[in-house]
Amino acid sequence: MPARPPAYRQRELLIQAGFELAEKLSPAQLTAGTLARRAGLAARSLTLQFGGLERYAETLQAIHYEETRRETLAAVHGLAPGAARILRATQAYFDFAFNRRGLRAWLSELRARSPAMQLQWRMDNQLYAQFLATELALCGWPHPVAGARLYIAGVLELVRDEQRENRRLPAARRALERFLNTHVRPSAAVGAAVTP
Amino acid sequence: MQQAVRSQAEALLEAGLRLSRRVPLARVTTAVIATEAGLPSIRFFDAYPDLSSYLIDLYQRHFLLPVRQRLEQILSGAPPGLERTRAATQAYLDFCLKQRGLRRWTIDARQWPEFDAAYNRASQGIQTLAEGELQGLGFRNPAGAARLFAAMVYEIALVEVEEGHEHYALRQCLWRLLGFRDRPLLQFAPREAVREPPAPTTTATPRQRLLRAGEALLRDHGGQPEALKLEALLARADVDRDGFAAAFGDLQAFELALIQSWTEQFMATCLAASQGLPPGTERLHAFLTAAWDCNLHEQRGQRMLMKALLRTDPELRARILTRVQGFTRIVAMEFQALGLASPQALARLFVAASTELVEAEETAAVPLPRLRETFWQWFDPLTAGARPAPQRSRELRARPEVAQTSFLTMQIGEVPGTGRHRRRSAEARAALRQRLLEAGDRLLLTGARLEAFSANRLALLAGVEAEDFSDCYGGWDDYLAALFGFLLDEVRDITVEATAHMNPGIPRMWRGIEAYLDARLDRPVIHELSRRLQGHAEALRLSRGRSAAFVRIFATEFRSAGWQDAEACGHLMTALVSETVQAEYEAGRRLPEYRNTLRNFLERG
């Protein structure tokens, strides 16, 4: 009989299982038992390691947000501030979110019942809004703070739409680009579409 | 020398006219005007002693004089009667719109007492012209009728100057009001208002005691805001400084709370006076008479305090404006229940005329029965002649086959089959629901929070039996979901009315968005309901339905404006508007930076 992995490893395996299964199963099928089985662990291990599905989802969401940020920042590494950098980051965010649409749908369902996850979600959006407000100010937006909040609302809506439609929506991405270009200084604007 | 001063004055007036087209009055100084006229700053004072005298001269020479000439031309060229009055009014409104920069300056300058007094004197001539015209239209008190008429015309000019174009619905409403030949004098028996018993004094909190002390102080000192001294308040309420600080923080917060309490009591008194009456002329009389009496007697002090603070506190001005809009909404609901067209616009004129009456009574410090009678001469023919109360039903409107007609044959006000064990038709039940929803809406307008709602209270307000409530709604959340839909319907109706008769395109879209944002800001309870009803199937369906409708409307507008990816842009615009609604709800006020961002996107995108 194989030795039981240490606690930290069990947590890693369970998180890994969450990322994998979320893209294959429907939210209703994602139970503590299913996740533990996929991780090759005993049925109660998720409860033992995380204290329940809600706390587990909080951890999963925090890791997902961190990875999204890392991916988004990596996509714009070395680029100068401006509309092009914002659009490149947006595109990276869209693509990453699209690849994880199953996970996002599941997290969104769990979040509706969890104030802690809602707080995480708000904080994450605020963080993006702060970054973006600085970028928009550099692009010459007249109201960068308001603009950042509105732009992010547009991004989140588009991510939800792509998730619901289960396909990329190039027209919607172009609309968002149009919104961005309305307010940037001509020198900072991007003429070419970012969508494939 | 005198000739030189005269030509300088001419140059300064011409400069003012040019400036008024591009600079708000707040940024105008004597130096700015002199510079625009190409004169050294000091020369301004050769021609005028101060800015206010200059503005009066500007108003008289470049607004009043030409408009008066135009009106006299119309009046001398046509026989007396409705058509002539209408043509003259139209010419006046068109001129306001043409000179809208100057008009806006005049409106802003009226906050200066010396300008306001001169403005009133100078405008007297136009009012006299109106008086002559209205005499021929069957008014027994032409001077009073002209005063109320001027208030309504002023209100329309205000809206049009603000929006930059003619407001079709408002003008149409005014023509309708002018057009009634029969102006009856209706009499209704005075009503004893049903009031909720006040909280016993023994259990009053320091906060309540302080508020009552504030009211008493204002009453004793003839409504002078200066009477609100901290020491006097503390002595009268028997509260110490710490108690005051814990309840309000500072005197400014106390004054705001006093006004808030006044507006709540005011609304509650008006609603109590009209309680139990079906929608119609009598209910309007009861409601408004209570409002007038309330302003004159019981709460005169708070009203004067509010007026004093309004001059100094823009934040307060915004809040009070919301309350006035609340009052207008009640009246609009009444007109809607009576089946009158353009209820919002009509309510706006109604409230403008009523405000003028309140001002007149306040100056006289006694009720003015003749002016009240004249007020009803303006509006009674409209409401008394209305078709008996066909009421829209949300349930039916939701069905596409009746969405175009959207009227029930049921008459609100006559609710057959109330009470238990009675068989009730679907229409009767729909009418009951409508009454309960209106009662909820009215309760919200008194400032009541959702927690203060109960089935019994709503049934009492709606004038139905308590058991009818459970017959109409499966559970409490079902009622709240219906109220949520009712409020969303109101917002939609306001938006539709604001854009009626405008051509498709970006200006119409922007007008609709602004009206929508204002209407949502005016109804913060929609957010509270939405939060509370998370997971409620009906509320979810309503939210999604509204969102989808928005996308469709925006997409159509974008398409007509020739935008690429119209559908996607409609979707994006929906998200942006929704986020702006959220941001304004959090801030509790309009946020111009968000609105400008949306507008720029529409106009330059």
Side-chain angles (χ1 to χ4, degrees):
Chain A
M1 183 176 169
R4 197 169 56 181
Y8 80 90
R9 182 67 191 137
Q10 285 190 45
R11 283 199 291 274
E12 277 178 5
L13 288 168
L14 285 163
I15 292 292
Q16 189 55 37
F19 280 123
E20 287 167 14
L21 285 185
E23 303 307 326
K24 292 175 185 155
L25 302 180
S26 71
Q29 294 170 304
L30 288 161
T31 62
T34 321
L35 289 157
R37 266 197 303 283
R38 173 73 179 196
L41 299 169
R44 288 191 68 246
S45 60
L46 186 138
T47 311
L48 283 172
Q49 294 302 328
F50 290 96
L53 197 60
E54 192 180 319
R55 297 297 303 279
Y56 168 79
E58 269 176 50
T59 314
L60 200 64
Q61 179 170 267
I63 294 172
H64 166 64
Y65 286 163
E66 203 181 309
E67 289 184 1
T68 311
R69 278 197 295 273
R70 202 167 53 220
E71 196 76 14
T72 310
L73 288 175
V76 295
H77 181 71
L79 286 182
R85 184 158 86 167
I86 299 173
L87 288 173
R88 180 78 69 83
T90 310
Q91 188 179 3
Y93 183 91
F94 280 145
D95 291 341
F96 195 72
F98 186 75
N99 292 335
R100 290 224 172 137
R101 55 195 182 280
L103 178 75
R104 289 181 65 94
W106 183 38
L107 290 177
S108 150
E109 202 165 281
L110 292 169
R111 195 164 53 231
R113 300 191 292 271
S114 162
M117 288 176 75
Q118 284 164 23
L119 182 67
Q120 269 183 357
W121 181 78
R122 274 198 301 275
M123 296 305 289
D124 191 60
N125 289 336
Q126 274 175 22
L127 190 69
Y128 279 113
Q130 278 179 17
F131 274 133
L132 187 60
T134 314
E135 289 277 320
L136 293 179
L138 290 170
C139 292
W141 268 55
H143 309 291
V145 175
R149 183 164 169 176
L150 291 173
Y151 186 83
I152 285 173
V155 169
L156 291 176
E157 186 62 24
L158 204 158
V159 165
R160 272 192 292 270
D161 288 347
E162 292 197 341
Q163 195 174 295
R164 194 172 44 240
E165 302 252 330
N166 203 20
R167 65 187 175 91
R168 289 188 168 86
L169 300 170
R173 294 186 183 197
R174 279 198 300 273
L176 195 66
E177 185 183 336
R178 186 172 186 162
F179 175 59
L180 180 71
N181 273 335
T182 308
H183 297 85
V184 298
R185 271 195 308 268
S187 57
V190 171
V194 290
T195 43
Chain B
M1 176 70 186
Q2 231 174 5
Q3 182 63 37
V5 170
R6 238 197 322 269
S7 68
Q8 277 177 15
E10 290 298 331
L12 289 165
L13 291 175
E14 287 297 328
L17 204 56
R18 285 197 301 277
L19 279 171
S20 72
R21 295 191 189 111
R22 53 176 212 268
V23 182
L25 184 63
R27 295 211 333 252
V28 170
T29 60
T30 53
V32 169
I33 298 164
T35 311
E36 174 75 19
L39 296 169
S41 303
I42 196 72
R43 291 275 80 87
F44 181 93
F45 299 102
D46 293 345
Y48 296 100
D50 53 35
L51 187 58
S52 184
S53 321
Y54 165 79
L55 286 172
I56 291 163
D57 199 27
L58 182 66
Y59 169 64
Q60 281 182 328
R61 289 220 237 161
H62 283 276
F63 187 87
L64 218 45
L65 195 64
V67 92
R68 210 191 149 95
Q69 281 169 353
R70 176 83 190 102
L71 292 183
E72 278 166 359
Q73 198 183 3
I74 291 171
L75 298 185
S76 60
L82 180 64
E83 274 317 304
R84 190 172 83 171
T85 311
R86 188 177 146 162
T89 312
Q90 184 130 331
Y92 177 83
L93 287 170
D94 289 347
F95 191 78
C96 287
L97 207 49
K98 189 175 151 209
Q99 290 288 25
R100 77 176 210 268
L102 184 54
R103 187 72 195 158
R104 195 189 296 264
W105 273 20
T106 317
I107 292 164
D108 291 345
R110 284 191 73 184
Q111 60 184 308
W112 305 336
E114 65 275 29
F115 182 86
D116 192 44
Y119 174 91
N120 286 332
R121 275 196 306 277
S123 309
Q124 201 55 48
I126 297 213
Q127 211 157 306
T128 312
L129 290 180
E131 209 178 304
E133 288 299 287
L134 294 178
Q135 197 158 19
L137 295 181
F139 282 97
R140 289 166 195 77
N141 171 15
R147 182 170 185 164
L148 301 181
F149 181 66
M152 291 190 276
V153 173
Y154 187 82
E155 179 73 10
I156 299 177
L158 198 72
V159 174
E160 293 191 342
V161 164
E162 197 61 43
E163 294 182 3
H165 58 79
E166 183 185 320
H167 197 297
Y168 181 86
L170 278 172
R171 289 194 186 197
Q172 286 303 316
C173 287
L174 191 68
W175 308 150
R176 267 160 73 203
L177 288 171
L178 273 175
F180 291 108
R181 288 285 167 195
D182 175 31
R183 299 194 178 272
L185 273 179
L186 300 178
Q187 296 290 337
F188 297 103
R191 286 172 50 79
E192 192 63 38
V194 186
R195 288 167 190 259
E196 290 188 22
T201 24
T202 45
T203 57
T205 61
R207 186 182 165 88
Q208 288 167 330
R209 292 211 300 276
L210 283 160
L211 287 173
R212 283 181 204 166
E215 286 169 17
L217 277 174
L218 283 172
R219 202 168 40 238
D220 294 351
H221 292 83
Q224 292 308 312
E226 297 76 29
L228 290 180
K229 296 271 190 298
L230 184 59
E231 292 306 328
L233 270 174
L234 298 180
R236 192 141 192 168
D238 193 21
V239 175
D240 60 17
R241 278 176 181 273
D242 289 345
F244 181 85
F248 297 103
D250 56 25
L251 203 55
Q252 196 186 10
F254 171 77
E255 288 174 344
L256 283 178
L258 198 59
I259 288 170
Q260 172 76 13
S261 145
W262 167 64
T263 51
E264 281 169 20
Q265 285 175 39
F266 170 74
M267 220 51 128
T269 308
C270 301
L271 291 177
S274 55
Q275 192 167 306
L277 287 172
T281 312
E282 186 179 359
R283 191 158 85 170
L284 271 170
H285 272 248
F287 179 77
L288 209 63
T289 306
W292 292 337
D293 289 345
C294 207
N295 278 321
L296 201 57
H297 304 302
E298 293 177 38
Q299 291 157 353
R300 184 159 179 261
Q302 282 101 313
R303 187 174 150 76
M304 290 186 72
L305 170 68
M306 182 181 83
K307 286 179 79 174
L309 291 180
L310 275 176
R311 283 195 282 274
T312 54
D313 189 339
E315 186 72 10
L316 176 69
R317 202 177 306 138
R319 284 197 220 174
I320 296 298
L321 194 64
T322 309
R323 284 282 155 187
V324 174
Q325 283 164 353
F327 191 81
T328 314
R329 264 174 63 198
I330 292 189
V331 177
M333 277 167 61
E334 201 71 10
F335 289 151
Q336 191 166 22
L338 289 167
L340 297 173
S342 305
Q344 308 289 339
L346 210 47
R348 202 156 176 164
L349 296 184
F350 186 89
V351 171
S354 166
T355 307
E356 184 63 24
L357 185 143
V358 168
E359 294 284 336
E361 292 197 337
E362 200 173 88
T363 311
V366 286
L368 300 171
R370 280 195 79 202
L371 193 59
R372 291 189 181 195
E373 186 190 297
T374 308
F375 179 92
W376 293 119
Q377 272 196 296
W378 271 110
F379 288 95
D380 276 350
L382 184 82
T383 54
R387 288 180 65 79
Q391 183 60 43
R392 289 196 214 185
S393 151
R394 202 169 52 73
E395 287 85 347
L396 277 187
R397 263 189 293 176
R399 280 164 45 194
E401 69 271 26
V402 288
Q404 296 306 313
T405 52
S406 72
F407 283 97
L408 259 184
T409 49
M410 179 65 206
Q411 292 178 9
I412 263 283
E414 296 168 23
V415 184
T418 56
R420 206 184 299 186
H421 308 311
R422 301 196 191 168
R423 288 175 67 83
R424 189 178 286 131
S425 68
E427 286 187 346
R429 192 174 282 122
L432 269 179
R433 286 198 191 110
Q434 185 71 24
R435 282 192 120 175
L436 287 162
L437 292 173
E438 282 182 7
D441 196 22
R442 281 160 186 262
L443 200 54
L444 288 171
L445 287 171
T446 67
R449 316 241 347 158
L450 275 182
E451 299 83 62
F453 276 43
S454 71
N456 282 344
R457 198 171 180 195
L458 288 164
L460 185 74
L461 267 177
V464 302
E465 303 286 333
E467 54 265 33
D468 290 330
F469 187 92
S470 46
D471 191 32
C472 286
Y473 295 101
W476 184 239
D477 275 1
D478 295 335
Y479 172 75
L480 291 183
L483 186 63
F484 179 62
F486 181 85
L487 293 169
L488 289 176
D489 275 359
E490 267 189 357
V491 172
R492 183 201 48 205
D493 291 347
I494 289 171
T495 313
V496 168
E497 196 178 315
T499 52
H501 308 287
M502 286 180 79
N503 290 323
I506 299 301
R508 180 167 82 172
M509 205 169 167
W510 173 244
R511 178 74 201 100
I513 289 173
E514 245 195 338
Y516 176 80
L517 290 173
D518 286 343
R520 285 295 305 263
L521 186 60
D522 194 24
R523 290 163 182 75
V525 73
I526 294 181
H527 285 264
E528 288 160 33
L529 284 168
S530 163
R531 236 193 344 254
R532 189 194 152 116
L533 293 169
Q534 263 183 10
H536 190 281
E538 175 63 7
L540 198 66
R541 187 188 68 76
L542 283 167
S543 289
R544 287 190 177 151
R546 286 312 141 100
S547 199
F550 257 118
V551 173
R552 277 199 305 276
I553 293 168
F554 282 144
T556 311
E557 293 279 359
F558 278 129
R559 210 168 285 125
S560 75
W563 281 43
Q564 279 184 340
D565 306 319
E567 184 82 18
C569 288
H571 226 112
L572 176 64
M573 202 62 206
T574 305
L576 300 180
V577 169
S578 163
E579 191 64 17
T580 305
V581 166
Q582 178 67 29
E584 293 196 337
Y585 165 71
E586 288 164 13
R589 63 184 175 86
R590 284 178 175 193
L591 295 174
E593 62 274 31
Y594 283 78
R595 294 186 180 209
N596 288 341
T597 305
L598 297 186
R599 190 176 188 165
N600 286 342
F601 177 46
L602 286 179
E603 288 177 352
R604 306 208 303 247

